[in-house]
Amino acid sequence: MKKESYFSLIIALALQLTLLLFPAPGAQADVNLVRPIVFPVLGGGTYSDDFNSIRSDGIHHATDIFNSKHRELVAVMDGVVTSVVSPQASWGYSITIRDDAGYYYRYIHMNNDTPGTDDGNGGEMNAYAPDMRVGNRVVQGQHIGYLGDSGNAETTSPHLHFEIYDGNNQYIDPFFSLNQAPRLSSVAAYPQLKDEALPYGPRPLGVSIAMGNFDSDPALEYVTGVSAGGGPHVRTFDSNDAPMAFSQYVFDPNFQGGVDVATADFDGDGIDEIIVSAGPGAGPHVRVLKLNGQVLAEFYAYDVGFTGGVSVTAGDIDGDGIPEIITGAGPGGAPLVRAFKLNGTVVSNFLVYAPDFRGGVDVASGDVIGDSKAEIVTANGAGESGMVRVLDKNGNELSRIYAYGGEYRGGVRVSVGNVKTSTSKSEILTVPKNDGAPHTAMFNGAGTQILDEAYFKESWWLGYNDIAAGYNISLASTGVNRRASVKRGLD
């Protein structure tokens, strides 16, 4: 054994002896206490009573539980997430949960590898489950992450270093609790958070979202549509997230390409209609629906044979008091934006990005310049840097924004609304569309960022997002490889 190893061992033995002879003042913890936990590794694992064993870096105040890499880890008790480490040199990726009685459970050496490899490049998406954010509640048996070998465990077999300690930082031997802990064969559903709505329950879907006024009170409501991968189901919700009357399939229920949604008041009665457009896999179908389900208008925004999907919005771009319907061609088509009267008459038609770009275009509209007319705001889809353009009704550029710099190429979704009501001008809100962190940003019509980016979910989560701006409020939605949820965004 090397001289350095002997020295480390002597130090560790001295530390252990000191703790045994001179316990910390006020230490009251019973190291053999049994907590009513479930087993932290799904299905169980191999372990022994290695609590207080001597290691080269000190005393081991934990139990190591061995199982296969990427095995699901679960919350052993109901509680609150108190730390999410990404990562620390010795611990690697780790999570700490405090139960309602004040005991802490720390999970160390969580997975840091891409599945099927030992590359160390898995990142948080392969270490943690959704909703692992400080302050979020968890329920016993909820999936919280994956077993691995991160930190200084890279040279060992994959295992979970599992600790239990009390509010005085006094450690408890997990061995006795683990011996009595039930082994779970499946994870528990993770709880709805206090600040989120689940328009489609726990299903892992993406959600398109828009704000509108669907009743006589001034508070804004919102409408949701299932994105690609789900049927074209559209629902309305009030300002308290309670379902309203509109809930129906707006195209063939068997269609799985999803639907984009927008709102506008076309008949001047103070109540918004719902605008829907088909996602990828169907023709470029656009419909305008009354809240009773009546089809007020419908047309094909592009050639009937185009099946790349359509994004849709509405705005009064000519200042005549009646909104126009504005569409952007989806992936596979040229970056063509069109504006229509309610009867389907085309009033604007122009390319907004390079003619050979095929990543799709998202559209929004509102008066961001202050000229009493709505401008058209576009964001490009995947494949290029996230360019947002502010255009007049003829396609002339008024300003340009690179929402997330030059590196992110997963596409951007955009919305317009008078969120900051200190001025009469509307603001532009953006969010990464696919495989981008769930953070929103706000810009004025001149392209100046006026509010720092804010994360409405875990900063490391990469998936599908959408954004909806309204008067003094905005909403953000997220989903696909996590359940579809809606929560307040930037306001």
Side-chain angles (χ1 to χ4, degrees):
M1 184 180 289
K2 293 182 178 180
K3 184 181 295 184
E4 292 83 358
S5 298
Y6 279 119
F7 183 75
S8 297
L9 180 59
I10 291 169
I11 293 296
L13 286 169
L15 176 60
Q16 185 179 36
L17 183 61
T18 300
L19 290 173
L20 290 173
L21 294 176
F22 305 101
Q28 302 293 324
D30 176 4
V31 296
N32 298 328
L33 179 70
V34 173
R35 296 295 299 148
I37 65 173
V38 298
F39 204 83
V41 181
L42 193 68
T46 303
Y47 64 100
S48 61
D49 191 4
D50 53 352
F51 184 78
N52 272 351
S53 61
I54 305 302
R55 302 292 172 84
S56 62
D57 57 352
I59 298 173
H60 189 243
H61 293 306
T63 295
D64 287 342
I65 305 170
F66 293 84
N67 204 313
S68 57
K69 187 183 293 185
H70 219 255
R71 188 70 171 174
E72 291 93 337
L73 303 177
V74 300
V76 295
M77 293 283 284
D78 292 356
V80 175
V81 177
T82 61
S83 77
V84 181
V85 178
S86 299
Q88 192 262 358
S90 296
W91 296 357
Y93 292 99
S94 73
I95 283 177
T96 306
I97 295 169
R98 184 187 68 243
D99 72 16
D100 296 335
Y103 289 90
Y104 292 79
Y105 308 88
R106 182 176 287 152
Y107 302 67
I108 291 177
H109 303 319
M110 296 171 72
N111 180 63
N112 66 334
D113 299 314
T114 304
T117 76
D118 192 32
D119 61 4
N121 295 322
E124 291 89 345
M125 286 289 287
N126 289 293
Y128 304 129
D131 278 1
M132 292 301 104
R133 193 178 190 186
V134 172
N136 283 356
R137 281 198 65 82
V138 296
V139 297
Q140 191 174 59
Q142 176 182 336
H143 182 205
I144 64 169
Y146 301 94
L147 186 146
D149 60 4
S150 62
N152 60 13
E154 288 286 356
T155 59
T156 70
S157 297
H159 68 276
L160 169 67
H161 171 109
F162 181 63
E163 298 177 355
I164 304 176
Y165 56 96
D166 66 15
N168 295 315
N169 290 319
Q170 301 303 309
Y171 288 94
I172 296 164
D173 187 349
F175 180 78
F176 304 99
S177 298
L178 293 170
N179 284 344
Q180 299 187 32
R183 277 65 168 162
L184 303 181
S185 59
S186 61
V187 298
Y190 57 104
Q192 180 175 349
L193 301 177
K194 63 182 180 180
D195 60 350
E196 74 173 344
L198 305 178
Y200 300 100
R203 299 173 64 193
L205 300 166
V207 179
S208 58
I209 185 170
M211 304 198 73
N213 196 337
F214 305 131
D215 55 26
S216 57
D217 67 51
L220 285 178
E221 294 78 40
Y222 64 95
V223 57
T224 63
V226 177
S227 71
H233 194 239
V234 172
R235 303 185 70 188
T236 53
F237 296 85
D238 68 18
S239 56
N240 295 312
D241 301 320
M244 300 179 74
F246 191 96
S247 178
Q248 68 180 61
Y249 289 95
V250 295
F251 299 114
D252 184 341
N254 295 316
F255 172 59
Q256 295 294 299
V259 59
D260 196 24
V261 293
T263 66
D265 179 10
F266 291 98
D267 54 15
D269 63 356
I271 304 296
D272 283 340
E273 283 71 54
I274 297 172
I275 313 163
V276 297
S277 59
H285 201 173
V286 175
R287 279 179 168 166
V288 179
L289 303 166
K290 302 286 287 184
L291 293 179
N292 62 7
Q294 174 192 351
V295 177
L296 189 63
E298 61 182 322
F299 54 85
Y300 286 95
Y302 303 101
D303 184 274
V304 68
F306 175 65
T307 59
V310 178
S311 64
V312 68
T313 191
D316 182 13
I317 61 174
D318 58 11
D320 67 353
I322 302 173
E324 283 71 45
I325 300 165
I326 303 157
T327 64
L336 184 62
V337 167
R338 284 178 171 169
F340 302 83
K341 292 296 186 181
L342 185 63
N343 63 8
T345 301
V346 177
V347 294
S348 292
N349 181 42
F350 46 83
L351 295 173
V352 293
Y353 300 107
D356 59 350
F357 176 67
R358 292 296 184 269
V361 180
D362 195 39
V363 289
S365 185
D367 184 8
V368 298
I369 300 299
D371 59 357
S372 299
K373 298 178 183 179
E375 284 71 49
I376 297 172
V377 181
T378 69
N380 63 319
E384 295 290 343
S385 300
M387 185 196 298
V388 176
R389 300 183 71 200
V390 179
L391 309 161
D392 68 15
K393 67 177 182 178
N394 298 313
N396 298 309
E397 182 176 281
L398 306 177
S399 63
R400 178 179 295 192
I401 302 162
Y402 287 93
Y404 299 103
E407 297 299 320
Y408 172 69
R409 293 175 177 268
V412 174
R413 298 218 70 174
V414 65
S415 185
V416 171
N418 192 193
V419 180
K420 293 180 70 67
T421 55
S422 56
T423 72
S424 60
K425 300 177 185 178
S426 290
E427 291 79 37
I428 300 165
L429 271 64
T430 65
V431 68
K433 180 180 179 181
N434 290 307
D435 298 325
H439 54 278
T440 52
M442 183 184 291
F443 304 86
N444 63 22
T448 302
Q449 187 165 346
I450 56 176
L451 197 62
D452 289 338
E453 297 168 2
Y455 292 90
F456 58 91
K457 290 291 183 183
E458 309 85 73
S459 61
W460 46 263
W461 185 79
L462 305 177
Y464 178 94
N465 307 294
D466 198 9
I467 189 76
Y471 185 81
N472 200 35
I473 188 174
S474 68
L475 297 175
S477 65
T478 185
V480 179
N481 57 351
R482 68 187 295 157
R483 68 183 175 204
S485 68
V486 173
K487 71 183 301 292
R488 186 178 295 270
L490 287 175
D491 48 61

